[in-house]
Amino acid sequence: MTSPQRIGVYPGSFDPITSGHTDIIVRGTRQLDRLVVAVALHTGKDPLFSHEERIAMVQAEVAALKGDLAAAVEVVGFDTLLIDLVRAQQARCILRGLRAVSDFEFEFQMAAMNARLAPEVETVFLMASERQQFISARFVKEIARLGGDVSSFVSPRVLARLRARFAR
Ligand code: ADP
């Protein structure tokens, strides 16, 4: 008898995808049979990159993953309730990354709300890696906007997109 596939959904705005996000994708994939990276249309704020651009950037990072990791990852866009996507993907967990204590309250609330909406779905947290824990897409955008060097926070592909966006 084969056991059911362990499928997880990693949602976020990925505006843009940073090496912190990619680290969670790589580590999440090791724990799952299939990981669906879900790029939200609605970010709660004005995104720098369009939904299509954010999806394309995540796809490019996944395609560049080493070994056979990419085969276990699928990238989708969504504009629905997260739980509806999780169910449609037949996933059993939502994957999130936790950086500082400041992430905790929001993540705790979201996990609790989603647990009410879908008790069968577990939210699973991975602690940010030591080297990535201070990286946030918000600061990456702010530094890039002001002409600072963000090359150690994002891939060369994302760096090129940021440079093009902020070119004078
Ligand atoms: P949101 O827009 O919901 O804040 P993001 O798109 O920025 O989410 O990120 C999606 C998920 O990735 C969140 O769980 C966030 O905590 C996590 N994350 C973002 N940056 C990092 C990082 N440097 N290390 C680990 N997890 C991260």
Side-chain angles (χ1 to χ4, degrees):
M1 200 174 74
T2 54
S3 57
Q5 276 215 320
R6 287 167 308 168
I7 303 168
V9 172
Y10 177 33
S13 33
F14 304 102
D15 183 41
I17 183 168
T18 67
S19 44
H21 293 127
T22 305
D23 180 62
I24 297 292
I25 293 172
V26 169
R27 290 164 55 209
T29 305
R30 292 194 195 119
Q31 305 300 324
L32 297 162
D33 298 308
R34 192 159 74 84
L35 179 65
V36 179
V37 184
V39 182
L41 171 64
H42 303 290
T43 63
K45 48 212 163 225
D46 237 5
L48 175 64
F49 293 102
S50 71
H51 197 209
E52 290 69 30
E53 288 173 308
R54 289 182 282 126
I55 293 170
M57 282 187 277
V58 176
Q59 278 169 336
E61 295 316 302
V62 168
L65 292 180
K66 290 201 184 76
D68 52 7
L69 284 184
V73 184
E74 190 186 342
V75 182
V76 301
F78 76 109
D79 61 357
T80 59
L81 201 57
L82 174 60
I83 285 303
D84 290 340
L85 173 79
V86 170
R87 286 182 169 145
Q89 292 287 340
Q90 298 184 317
R92 57 163 74 169
C93 72
I94 296 167
L95 182 68
R96 297 286 287 179
L98 264 189
R99 283 162 294 187
V101 181
S102 49
D103 274 345
F104 181 80
E105 186 151 357
F106 174 77
E107 293 291 342
F108 181 72
Q109 242 173 24
M110 192 168 84
M113 298 284 269
N114 283 328
R116 279 285 182 89
L117 295 175
E120 78 281 9
V121 176
E122 203 69 59
T123 300
V124 174
F125 295 98
L126 293 184
M127 302 279 277
S129 296
E130 200 189 343
R131 279 181 53 78
Q132 325 281 357
Q133 59 179 309
F134 58 90
I135 302 175
S136 83
R138 185 161 70 92
F139 283 120
V140 164
K141 281 182 284 193
E142 209 46 47
I143 295 167
R145 190 192 309 276
L146 297 170
D149 178 11
V150 293
S151 59
S152 62
F153 310 136
V154 298
S155 74
R157 294 167 290 277
V158 173
L159 186 65
R161 293 249 194 182
L162 282 165
R163 285 200 174 136
R165 184 53 51 98
F166 292 123
R168 301 209 180 149

